[in-house]
Amino acid sequence: MLVRVRLPIGKVRSKMRIGRRRFLVLSLGAAAFGTAQASGPLWAALRSGEAIALLRHAAAPGSGDPPGLRLGDCSTQRNLSEQGRAQARAIGDLFSANGISSAAVYSSQWCRCLDTARLLGIGDVVPLELLNSFFGDSSAAEVRTAALLAWLRGQRFGGPVVLVTHQVNITGLTGEVPESGEMIIVRIHEADPVQVIGQVATPA
C-alpha cells in the first residue's frame, strides 16, 4: 500500500505520478497527528530501518546555482530561505512526533542540504558525495544514480535513515518529483527496483 501523509501546517499540493498506484491520503488534525501516526506502517518501516527517507532539501528560492559554485562556500550557492529553515525544523518535529528522535542522517555537500539536515535535529550529519546534485548534467544521471543505488544496497543501517539531497537525485532513483522539503519513503532491495512505499508532503 502506498501512503501519502500530509504535514499538518500550511497548504500542500497533491500530485500523483502517472502509472503508479493511487496514494491513500491520511488527513489528520495538528493535535492528533503525532500520536495517531506513531504506530502507522509508514513510520514503523522508517523506525525499524526497513525503509529510508529521501528528503529534498527545504525551500531555497531559485533554481540551480549561480556561476562559480564552490562546495564549502555557501556564499556561492543558492541557500535556504527563512521559510526553508522553519520548514526543516518542522520536518524534524514530525520525525520526533512519530517516534524518531535519532537517525543516521546523510547529506549532499551543498549548503542548502547540509543546513536542512542539521536543522532536523535528529542526528549528526554525514556529508556524502554520492548525494551531490547533477542538475544541468543529464548525461551523468544514469551513472550517478547507479552508484548511489549500489551504495544503498551495500549498507545495513538497522535503524532510521534520512538522506537529504536534490530533486534530480531523488527523481533518478525513484521516478518521483518531490517538492522542496518533501520526502519519498522507499525500500531498497538487493536486486529489485527501488520500491516507493509513501510520500510525506511539506508546505510549499
Side-chain angles (χ1 to χ4, degrees), residues 15-166:
K15 66 179 188 302
M16 183 185 299
R17 183 187 177 200
I18 296 174
R20 190 175 293 283
R21 290 175 296 168
R22 182 172 298 175
F23 284 102
L24 173 64
V25 180
L26 303 179
S27 298
L28 297 170
F33 187 87
T35 55
Q37 282 302 298
S39 60
L42 179 65
W43 292 102
L46 286 172
R47 286 194 299 272
S48 69
E50 294 176 14
I52 65 173
L54 303 173
L55 171 60
R56 183 181 177 185
H57 62 77
S63 178
D65 284 283
L69 175 146
R70 295 190 302 276
L71 293 180
D73 185 349
C74 297
S75 69
T76 68
Q77 302 178 32
R78 178 163 61 92
N79 294 298
L80 298 185
S81 62
E82 286 305 313
Q83 176 195 9
R85 297 179 72 83
Q87 191 179 70
R89 286 188 286 266
I91 297 166
D93 290 343
L94 178 60
F95 274 103
S96 296
N98 286 282
I100 301 175
S101 58
S102 179
V105 183
Y106 297 87
S107 173
S108 157
Q109 294 172 305
W110 263 246
C111 291
R112 56 185 175 271
C113 290
L114 289 167
D115 288 344
T116 298
R118 290 164 181 153
L119 287 167
L120 296 177
I122 57 172
D124 294 335
V125 177
V126 178
L128 185 64
E129 186 177 358
L130 286 169
L131 297 174
N132 287 358
S133 176
F134 50 83
F135 181 81
D137 185 9
S138 58
S139 65
E142 186 174 348
V143 171
R144 295 282 299 279
T145 299
L148 176 58
L149 182 55
W151 181 82
L152 286 168
R153 284 174 170 164
Q155 304 305 305
R156 294 295 180 268
F157 295 112
V161 180
V162 183
L163 306 185
V164 184
T165 185
H166 308 263

